[in-house]
């Protein structure tokens, strides 16, 4: 059954997001509903998979899935389904399904539904990845994906300045916290000896006793507090209310803001249970719940009020998780579920009000009960749950909170119980304001549109959640009881003490605190409304948003000053600084060594006449290049001579693969440089003074001497080379006798995949920069006239014969590359050089006409196809249970051909070949188009 775990994440990640986007590529109601249906079915499928696995978890099993990915760095695809993960997975998918239904009727005709539901599915997959990850590094990947997708969702209405600003703020705060969390997780893995939760959960004592524990705790708490909007990182959440209401209802009540809370609960057996943990976690939660509850009372925007109430309730949960009490964890888990139900329903109610009236301003609303009676009734029940009124689920978890606050008072004095009562008073006050100022309090004032009840299916998600609030409030043990016990067991890493979820626990102090909160909250609201004139209240000038904005502007200003000081536009200065730093870093350890660094005792090979000639040629060419670099074309030719000498050197040291590669690169790069330099003057201006040239000469001599010295120290000493490992394992593990090619496509295939990706990105980047650029045809350029004459007939005829011959050679090089010198990279360069020759012989217009179509579009497709083939080769290995890009090989006997060596690495090499050809030709086509004569 564990094999089903990845599909809970993969369903919304891949098919859900892609199909939702494809179905919603339009703004009509038909496209909106089609995209919503796809997203809804995907969510229900993920929920169904979680429910399928639930019985095994309730039986006490912990389902684990493990697939190696990057084991050398500890990053594997490890998934875990225990009680806590199951509870959050059910919460994410169940509430997500209701949000999808609600959004189908919320989005307007100008809102692209495909974009919305695609990003919603990606966010859902990221949240599911967080709660199901067993590997902490994998969890960090999903953690940052939630930051990116939430940025896109908050900024969905990109035409609005407040949406853009809120999205940037949310990404800055949560992304910065994610970096701190990454550092904490890395330290945690190093101290604990693993990044797998299955291992770390049993090593809590080892980690808590380590000297790095305070630093680990601080870094992880920063990540959790920024994600869950705890003071002083709370200010981003109210600004994120510029998002569409379905986003607010999903991200900012039930999912994203609870990611930090989930991680605190998940890592409690590892980092919890210390005085430092209790002080910082419970302390931050206590400050947050009181501060945000008070601020919420004075917010005029419906979603702003709900945002600060959310921050306050998140602080309540964080406070409970920080207490050193097992029953506090029960209360925290219970309130996570309760808060998700009543807060999601209230956010959707706020969205209905905004949707039907055109405003969320409490100063303009009022008297909506006669226009929205059903919506008002649902909102009253949900607000009662938020206020902690009896018979609603919020009352039960708030009673448990009051009880734990009393127990915590033994160490904190009366501060905690009094703060808890103050929180309760403010909760009742802002809940009353939400209801009274919206549905009562006189007639509405200057509404942008006439209100009426929304469609049935827009109210249905709210009604279902409200029913849950009531049923859980009356029958808590029969509804949420089993999942609460299961999740608490996972948090405590053992069974919790006996407790009872019930509506009535008799007359006690927590009940008295609840009564005080209800009465005090009502009096507070009435007093503020009558005597303080709450609607006339203006927020304080100094807010978290202003502090953040000023701090960000200060950072940008400092960065601008540093940049202007460091970067004055002089490439010579940049190179001088970098070369100087390299010289210092390289020479420092050698100059400060106990003994001077001298040559080793290794026996040297004699220098033959050819080597001496090549050295002299290299020295002469390098000197000529330095002295004559102002002549651009001459410099390109001299650089080609140096490349040729390098290729001969490779061949002399029995490296034909490297020699072939060097020659191919020299041919192609020389042609590219000549095409690029044809757009520039033939000579470079003499701008350097004698002093600067002297400085550069000294730096060049020092750097060259330093590199030569290091090379001499290494080459005159015996050392164990990795080459022997690759030579010995090339055939048995890679299935090929050509060790160089096997290294590229098998042993270091991941590096090669990254390199061809960079090559493709560079080519597309050149296209993006130069696309549309046209260089005027000058009459003359420094004694050199441009010519667009038709190429010679001999070249045109020769090119026709060279192309098929070159293609045959490239196919031969590709086919033999796994066992003899060759391979996809060399074959790709040979093919590219042959096609470039066609451009030179036929001219760009005729060559593109024969190739058929626009060159830029065709070659970008080649790059994408090559990268896709290479990626699918690696993914295929993972599907079969092996690490990414693991190669399979065999030597079957075929009729006529005899024994043939076959390897899946050839498919990867094919991707390399296509990418190299596409990238190289895209560069040629782009440079050629800049100077192409207009017809």
């Amino acid at each position: 059954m564990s094999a089903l775990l990845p599909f809970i994440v993969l369903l919304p990640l891949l098919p859900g997001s892609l199909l939702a986007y494809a179905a919603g590529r339009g703004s009509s109601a038909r496209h909106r509903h089609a995209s919503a249906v796809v997203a809804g079915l995907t969510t229900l499928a993920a929920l169904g998979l979680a429910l399928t696995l639930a019985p095994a978890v309730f039986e006490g099993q912990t389902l684990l899935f493990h697939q190696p990915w990057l084991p050398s760095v500890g990053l594997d695809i490890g998934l875990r389904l225990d009680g806590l993960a199951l509870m959050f997975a059910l919460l994410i998918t169940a509430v997500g399904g209701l949000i999808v239904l609600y959004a189908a009727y919320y989005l307007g005709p100008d809102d692209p539904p495909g974009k919305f539901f695609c990003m919603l599915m990606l966010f859902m997959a990221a949240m599911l990845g967080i709660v199901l990850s067993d590997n902490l590094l994998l969890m960090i990947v999903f953690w940052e994906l939630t930051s990116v997708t939430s940025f896109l969702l908050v900024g969905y209405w990109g035409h609005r300045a407040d949406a853009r600003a809120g999205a940037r703020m949310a990404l800055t705060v949560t992304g910065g916290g994610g970096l701190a969390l990454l550092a904490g997780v890395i330290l945690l893995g190093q101290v604990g000896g693993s990044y797998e939760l299955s291992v770390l959960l049993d090593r809590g004592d080892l980690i808590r006793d380590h000297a790095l524990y305070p630093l680990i705790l601080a870094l992880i708490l920063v990540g959790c507090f920024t994600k869950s909007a705890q003071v002083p990182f709370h200010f981003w959440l109210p600004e994120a209310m510029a998002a569409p209401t379905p986003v607010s209802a999903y991200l900012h009540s039930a999912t994203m803001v609870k990611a930090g809370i989930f991680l605190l609960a998940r890592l409690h057996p590892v980092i919890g249970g210390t005085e430092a943990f209790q002080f910082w976690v419970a302390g931050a939660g206590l400050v947050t719940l009181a501060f945000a509850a008070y601020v919420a009372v004075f917010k005029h925007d419906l979603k702003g009020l709900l945002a600060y109430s959310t921050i306050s309730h998140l602080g309540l949960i964080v406070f409970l998780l920080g207490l050193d009490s097992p029953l506090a964890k029960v209360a925290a888990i219970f309130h996570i579920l309760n808060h998700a139900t009543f807060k999601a329903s209230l956010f959707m109610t706020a969205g209905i009000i905004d949707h039907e009236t055109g405003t969320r301003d409490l100063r303009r609303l009022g008297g909506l009960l006669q226009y929205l009676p059903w919506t008002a009734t649902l909102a009253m029940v949900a607000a009662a749950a938020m206020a902690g009124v009896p018979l609603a689920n919020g009352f039960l978890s708030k009673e448990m909170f009051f009880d734990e606050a009393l127990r915590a008072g033994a160490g904190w004095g009366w501060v905690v119980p009094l703060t808890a009562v103050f929180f309760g008073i403010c909760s009742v006050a802002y809940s009353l304001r939400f209801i009274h100022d919206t549905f009562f309090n006189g007639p509405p004032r200057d509404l942008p549109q006439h209100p009426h009840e929304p469609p049935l299916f827009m109210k249905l998600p709210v009604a279902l959640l409200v029913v849950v609030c009531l049923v859980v409030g009356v029958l808590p043990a029969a509804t949420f009881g089993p999942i609460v016990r299961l999740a608490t067991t996972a948090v405590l890493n053992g069974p919790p003490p006996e407790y009872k979820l019930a509506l009535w626990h008799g007359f006690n102090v927590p009940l008295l605190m609840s009564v005080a909160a209800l009465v005090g909250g009502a009096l507070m609201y009435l007093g503020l409304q009558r005597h303080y004139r709450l609607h006339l209240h203006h927020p304080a000038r100094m807010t978290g948003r202003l502090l953040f904005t000023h701090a960000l502007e200060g950072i940008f200003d400092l960065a601008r000053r540093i940049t202007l000081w460091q970067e004055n536009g002089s490439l010579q200065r940049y190179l001088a600084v970098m070369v100087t730093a390299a010289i210092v870093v390289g020479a420092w350890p050698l100059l400060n060594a106990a003994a001077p660094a001298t040559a080793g005792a290794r026996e040297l090979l004699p220098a033959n006449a050819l080597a001496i000639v090549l050295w002299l040629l290299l020295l002469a060419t390098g000197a000529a290049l330095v002295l004559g670099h102002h002549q651009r074309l001459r410099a390109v030719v001299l650089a080609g001579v140096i490349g040729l000498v390098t290729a001969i050197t490779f061949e002399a040291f029995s490296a034909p693969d490297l020699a072939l590669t060097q020659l191919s690169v020299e041919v192609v790069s020389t042609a590219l440089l000549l095409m690029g330099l044809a757009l520039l003057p033939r000579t470079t201006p003499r701008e350097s003074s004698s002093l600067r040239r002297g400085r550069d000469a000294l730096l060049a001599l020092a750097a060259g001497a330093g590199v030569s010295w290091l090379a001499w120290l290494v080459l005159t000493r015996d050392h164990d080379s990795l080459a022997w490992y690759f030579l010995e394992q090339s055939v048995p593990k890679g299935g090929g006798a050509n060790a160089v090619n096997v290294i590229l496509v098998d042993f270091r295939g991941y590096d090669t995949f990254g390199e061809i990706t960079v090559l493709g990105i560079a080519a597309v980047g050149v296209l993006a920069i130069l696309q549309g650029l046209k260089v005027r045809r000058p009459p003359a350029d420094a004694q050199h006239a441009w010519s667009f004459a038709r190429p010679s007939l001999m070249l045109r005829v020769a090119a026709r014969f060279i192309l098929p011959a070159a293609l045959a050679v490239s196919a031969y090089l590709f086919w033999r590359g796994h066992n003899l010198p060759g391979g996809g990279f060399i074959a790709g360069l040979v093919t590219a050089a042959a096609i470039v020759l066609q451009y030179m012989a036929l001219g760009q217009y005729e060559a593109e006409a024969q190739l058929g179509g626009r060159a830029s579009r065709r070659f970008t497709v080649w790059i994408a196809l090559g990268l896709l083939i290479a990626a699918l080769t690696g993914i295929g290995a993972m599907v079969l249970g092996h690490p990414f890009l693991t190669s399979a090989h065999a030597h079957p006997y075929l009729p006529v051909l005899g024994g043939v060596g076959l390897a899946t690495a050839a498919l990867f090499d094919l991707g390399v070949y296509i990418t190299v050809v596409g990238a190289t030709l895209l560069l040629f086509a782009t440079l050629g188009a800049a100077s192409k004569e207009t017809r």
Side-chain angles (χ1 to χ4, degrees):
M1 297 184 71
S2 299
L4 296 176
L5 277 177
F7 294 99
I8 299 178
V9 181
L10 289 175
L11 277 173
L13 182 64
L14 294 176
S17 59
L18 295 176
L19 293 176
Y21 179 78
R25 296 187 67 182
S27 57
S28 66
R30 179 175 60 86
H31 289 96
R32 184 168 66 252
H33 290 148
S35 186
V37 167
V38 171
L41 291 177
T42 303
T43 305
L44 291 177
L47 175 61
L49 284 177
L51 291 173
T52 302
L53 300 175
V57 180
F58 276 99
E59 291 174 0
Q61 300 182 40
T62 297
L63 302 181
L64 297 173
F65 174 88
H66 185 266
Q67 172 66 43
W69 187 13
L70 295 174
S72 59
V73 298
L75 177 54
D76 294 326
I77 301 178
L79 301 178
R80 173 191 184 88
L81 186 66
D82 57 6
L84 184 64
L86 177 64
M87 185 194 80
F88 271 92
L90 295 176
L91 184 66
I92 292 165
T93 50
V95 176
L98 297 177
I99 295 298
V100 169
L101 176 60
Y102 175 82
Y105 294 90
Y106 177 88
L107 296 178
D110 297 329
D111 300 327
K115 173 185 174 183
F116 179 84
F117 288 110
C118 173
M119 292 187 296
L120 193 69
M121 289 294 99
L122 289 175
F123 176 82
M124 181 184 296
M127 279 301 305
L128 289 169
I130 288 175
V131 302
L132 294 177
S133 291
D134 187 53
N135 184 282
L136 289 179
L137 293 179
L138 179 66
M139 185 213 66
I140 291 293
V141 174
F142 288 116
W143 186 281
E144 292 303 324
L145 183 58
T146 60
S147 296
V148 174
T149 51
S150 67
F151 166 78
L152 297 173
L153 285 167
V154 172
Y156 175 74
W157 285 328
H159 59 281
R160 289 172 40 176
D162 59 340
R164 298 193 300 271
R168 288 194 299 267
M169 186 178 295
L171 180 63
T172 303
V173 177
T174 60
L179 294 176
L181 178 62
L182 173 61
V185 164
I186 291 174
L187 290 177
L188 181 63
Q190 295 298 314
V191 172
S194 175
Y195 292 105
E196 305 295 328
L197 280 170
S198 305
V199 178
L200 291 174
L201 290 177
D202 296 325
R203 297 183 180 177
D205 293 336
L206 171 67
I207 294 167
R208 287 187 287 267
D209 293 337
H210 199 276
L212 290 176
Y213 170 74
L215 179 59
I216 293 172
L217 178 64
L219 292 171
I220 292 177
L221 290 185
V222 169
C224 294
F225 289 170
T226 52
K227 205 74 162 182
S228 292
Q230 297 299 286
V231 173
F233 309 109
H234 64 284
F235 51 86
W236 70 266
L237 183 56
E239 299 303 319
M241 293 300 108
T245 299
V247 175
S248 303
Y250 191 45
L251 275 68
H252 306 138
S253 66
T255 53
M256 177 180 170
V257 291
K258 292 207 171 72
I261 288 174
F262 165 81
L263 190 58
L264 283 175
R266 171 59 81 200
L267 294 180
H268 184 269
V270 182
I271 62 174
T274 64
E275 292 184 2
F277 183 86
Q278 180 172 350
F279 176 81
W280 290 109
V281 177
L286 191 67
V287 172
T288 301
L289 68 90
F291 167 78
Y294 177 75
V295 174
V297 177
F298 299 93
K299 286 296 169 182
H300 302 309
D301 176 52
L302 272 177
K303 286 176 66 175
L305 184 152
L306 293 176
Y308 273 97
S309 73
T310 297
I311 296 171
S312 178
H313 282 268
L314 293 173
L316 183 154
I317 300 170
V318 169
F319 169 75
L320 291 171
L321 288 174
L323 294 179
D324 190 17
S325 165
L327 290 179
K329 309 305 182 292
V330 177
I333 295 298
F334 191 32
H335 197 67
I336 288 172
L337 295 171
N338 292 336
H339 178 260
T341 54
F342 65 68
K343 191 54 63 69
S345 60
L346 285 171
F347 264 115
M348 286 190 276
T349 300
I352 289 174
I353 295 168
D354 187 18
H355 190 270
E356 299 304 325
T357 65
T359 183
R360 302 192 308 258
D361 193 340
L362 288 168
R363 294 167 294 186
R364 301 175 66 182
L365 297 172
L368 293 183
L369 178 63
Q370 59 179 321
Y371 303 103
L372 306 167
W374 288 102
T375 302
T377 304
L378 297 173
M380 290 177 196
V381 177
M386 181 168 66
V389 176
L391 300 183
N393 58 353
F395 169 75
L396 301 176
S397 51
K398 192 173 289 186
E399 284 267 288
M400 299 172 72
F401 161 64
F402 285 151
D403 185 50
E404 292 302 320
L406 284 172
R407 298 175 188 272
W412 299 54
W414 284 99
V415 174
V416 176
L418 290 177
T419 304
V421 173
F422 176 74
F423 157 80
I425 291 172
C426 293
S427 297
V428 174
Y430 62 65
S431 299
L432 275 174
R433 188 181 184 201
F434 184 95
I435 297 300
H436 182 260
D437 287 10
T438 303
F439 300 106
F440 302 97
N441 199 28
R445 293 162 287 277
D446 300 325
L447 295 181
Q449 59 194 49
H450 182 73
H452 55 79
E453 283 286 357
L456 172 62
F457 288 102
M458 193 172 181
K459 291 180 292 189
L460 182 60
V462 182
L464 292 175
L465 290 171
V466 166
V467 170
V468 172
C469 291
L470 291 174
V471 173
V472 174
V474 178
L475 301 170
T479 51
F480 283 171
I483 192 66
V484 169
R485 179 174 293 275
L486 197 65
T488 307
T489 301
V491 173
L492 297 174
N493 206 22
E498 287 300 319
Y499 64 91
K500 183 180 180 181
L501 294 179
L503 178 61
W504 179 252
H505 290 278
F507 292 99
N508 50 29
V509 178
L511 179 62
L512 181 62
M513 296 169 71
S514 294
V515 173
L518 290 171
V519 175
L523 293 175
M524 179 182 183
Y525 171 70
L526 292 175
L528 289 174
Q529 191 74 308
R530 290 185 179 181
H531 303 292
Y532 187 69
R533 295 185 179 182
L534 196 55
H535 282 178
L536 298 180
H537 170 73
H538 294 283
R541 294 182 178 179
M542 189 56 66
T543 62
R545 174 186 178 183
L546 290 177
L547 290 175
F548 172 81
T549 303
H550 291 324
L552 203 60
E553 289 177 352
I555 292 173
F556 284 150
D557 183 65
L558 178 62
R560 193 179 301 111
R561 293 174 183 273
I562 294 175
T563 301
L564 292 175
W565 173 67
Q566 288 184 333
E567 300 184 10
N568 62 350
S570 171
L571 296 179
Q572 285 181 316
R573 178 178 177 180
Y574 304 158
L575 286 173
V577 172
M578 287 189 291
V579 171
T580 302
I583 293 172
V584 172
V585 172
W588 184 263
L590 297 176
L591 294 175
N592 287 274
T598 57
R602 184 179 183 181
E603 184 178 354
L604 304 181
L605 297 174
N608 54 34
L610 177 61
I612 296 174
V613 170
L614 290 178
W615 291 341
L616 294 175
L617 177 61
L618 195 61
L619 289 171
T621 307
L625 180 59
V626 170
L627 296 175
H629 70 278
H630 289 285
Q631 299 292 327
R632 286 182 167 132
L633 296 182
R634 182 189 302 170
V636 171
V637 174
L638 292 173
V641 173
I642 294 174
L644 179 63
V645 172
T646 305
I648 295 173
T649 305
F650 287 147
E651 179 62 32
F653 283 101
S654 302
D657 264 294
L658 297 181
L660 280 173
T661 304
Q662 182 68 35
L663 283 174
S664 304
V665 169
E666 283 301 322
V667 171
V668 174
S669 61
T670 300
L672 275 172
L673 287 170
L674 290 174
M675 291 186 69
L677 293 178
L679 308 178
L680 301 174
R682 297 184 66 183
T683 60
T684 59
R686 298 180 181 271
E687 298 175 335
S688 300
S689 63
S690 301
L691 182 62
R692 176 174 291 183
R693 287 197 298 271
R695 178 205 66 183
D696 294 343
L698 290 176
L699 286 176
L701 289 172
V707 171
S708 301
W709 182 29
L710 288 175
W712 183 257
L713 294 178
V714 172
L715 294 176
T716 56
R717 284 169 168 79
D718 293 321
H719 60 278
D720 295 328
S721 174
L722 286 174
W724 298 112
Y725 169 81
F726 293 116
L727 290 172
E728 293 169 358
Q729 302 299 327
S730 178
V731 173
K733 291 189 175 181
N738 182 5
V740 174
N741 185 262
V742 173
I743 291 172
L744 290 175
V745 300
D746 192 332
F747 290 117
R748 303 301 298 270
Y750 203 84
D751 288 350
T752 303
F753 182 69
E755 289 163 2
I756 62 173
T757 303
V758 171
L759 178 63
I761 292 172
V764 174
V766 171
L767 173 65
I769 294 172
L770 297 183
Q771 192 171 27
L773 175 68
K774 290 293 182 182
V775 179
R776 293 178 179 270
R777 175 180 176 180
D781 176 18
Q783 311 137 2
H784 165 68
W786 279 29
S787 173
F788 290 89
R790 189 177 180 84
S792 68
L793 178 62
M794 183 177 295
L795 181 60
R796 293 167 60 87
V797 173
R800 293 184 178 181
F801 291 98
I802 291 175
L803 179 60
L807 293 177
V809 171
S810 65
Y812 173 70
L813 291 172
F814 175 83
W815 182 256
R816 63 178 254 165
H818 211 52
N819 291 287
L820 293 170
F825 188 80
I826 298 173
L829 290 175
V830 172
T831 301
I835 298 178
V836 167
L837 182 61
Q838 303 303 306
Y839 275 83
M840 296 170 62
L842 304 177
Q844 188 154 354
Y845 278 110
E846 188 173 346
E848 287 184 2
Q850 290 194 6
L851 289 174
R854 293 175 54 191
S856 60
R857 177 178 298 178
R858 178 174 58 257
F859 297 144
T860 52
V861 170
W862 288 10
I863 293 172
L865 179 62
L867 291 174
L868 180 63
I869 293 173
L872 290 177
T873 305
I875 294 172
M878 296 179 65
V879 172
L880 296 176
H882 300 284
F884 184 70
L885 282 177
T886 299
S887 176
H889 53 86
H891 289 75
Y893 182 85
L894 299 178
V896 181
L897 296 178
V900 178
L902 299 176
T904 57
L907 295 175
F908 179 76
D909 218 10
L910 177 63
V912 174
Y913 170 80
I914 297 175
T915 304
V916 169
V917 173
T920 307
L921 294 181
L922 180 60
L923 292 172
F924 276 108
T926 304
L927 288 171
S931 59
K932 187 163 59 175
E933 193 176 33
T934 305
R935 290 186 176 181

